[in-house]
Amino acid sequence: MIVVVDTNVLVAATLSPSGASFRILALIPARRFEVLLSVPLMLEYEDVLKREDMRARSHLTLEDIDIILDMLAAVGTPCTPFFQWRPQLPDPDDEMLLELAVNGRADAIVTVNTRDFLPAAPTFGVEVLRPGEFLRRLRS
């Protein structure tokens, strides 16, 4: 399965080691699924995870965050979106995720906020899955 992981999933993973988002993050190095990455998405991951308020909530150091980002860069599949279909989504910041998914032929976008990507993502053949749904799909 090829997926794009929304930043909110990484945030949830750093805040709750018992949640579905954390399990997804822990499974990434095993390569049970393919994670698409782009430069803008990696920069967003870094920006959000390294915010002072976020680090205070997650109790992660800058070095801890760099380890997570390095792991993602090492096992993720780089993809440079060549085509844009803007605007499709209510939040312009989510457009890069949809474009990455479509350009990389992803099966799904994994996100905490599924409604942000509906109904546009299915129009392009991309499912929108919450972390728990994605994990159930992996098991089946």
Side-chain angles (χ1 to χ4, degrees), residues 74-88:
V75 300
T77 301
C79 179
T80 303
F82 291 103
F83 299 103
Q84 295 182 345
W85 295 273
R86 295 179 187 207
Q88 295 291 324

Side-chain angles (χ1 to χ4, degrees), residues 7 14-15 19 24 29 38-39 44 47 50 62 76 79-81 86 97 99 102 108 119-120 122 124 132 134:
T7 306
T14 65
L15 297 177
I24 290 169
S38 66
V39 172
E44 179 176 284
D47 175 58
K50 287 187 174 181
L62 291 172
C79 179
T80 303
R86 295 179 187 207
L97 294 168
E99 290 167 356
V102 174
F124 292 96
F134 174 67

Side-chain angles (χ1 to χ4, degrees), residues 11 17 23 32 76 83 94 109 118 130:
V11 168
R23 286 192 298 257
R32 295 207 32 226
F83 299 103
D94 289 333
I109 295 171
L118 298 172
R130 293 184 54 77

Side-chain angles (χ1 to χ4, degrees), residues 26-104:
L27 285 172
I28 290 173
R31 299 179 189 215
R32 295 207 32 226
F33 52 94
E34 185 176 345
V35 177
L36 293 177
L37 298 173
S38 66
V39 172
L41 182 57
M42 286 295 290
L43 290 172
E44 179 176 284
Y45 288 166
E46 181 178 38
D47 175 58
V48 172
L49 293 176
K50 287 187 174 181
R51 290 178 185 161
E52 192 170 326
D53 63 324
M54 183 64 217
R55 286 187 297 116
R57 291 174 50 214
S58 69
H59 305 290
L60 294 176
T61 65
L62 291 172
E63 293 78 19
D64 294 333
I65 295 164
D66 284 339
I67 290 169
I68 293 169
L69 296 171
D70 288 347
M71 177 274 296
L72 288 167
V75 300
T77 301
C79 179
T80 303
F82 291 103
F83 299 103
Q84 295 182 345
W85 295 273
R86 295 179 187 207
Q88 295 291 324
L89 304 173
D91 183 352
D93 292 337
D94 289 333
E95 297 284 355
M96 74 168 167
L97 294 168
L98 178 60
E99 290 167 356
L100 178 59
V102 174
N103 279 273

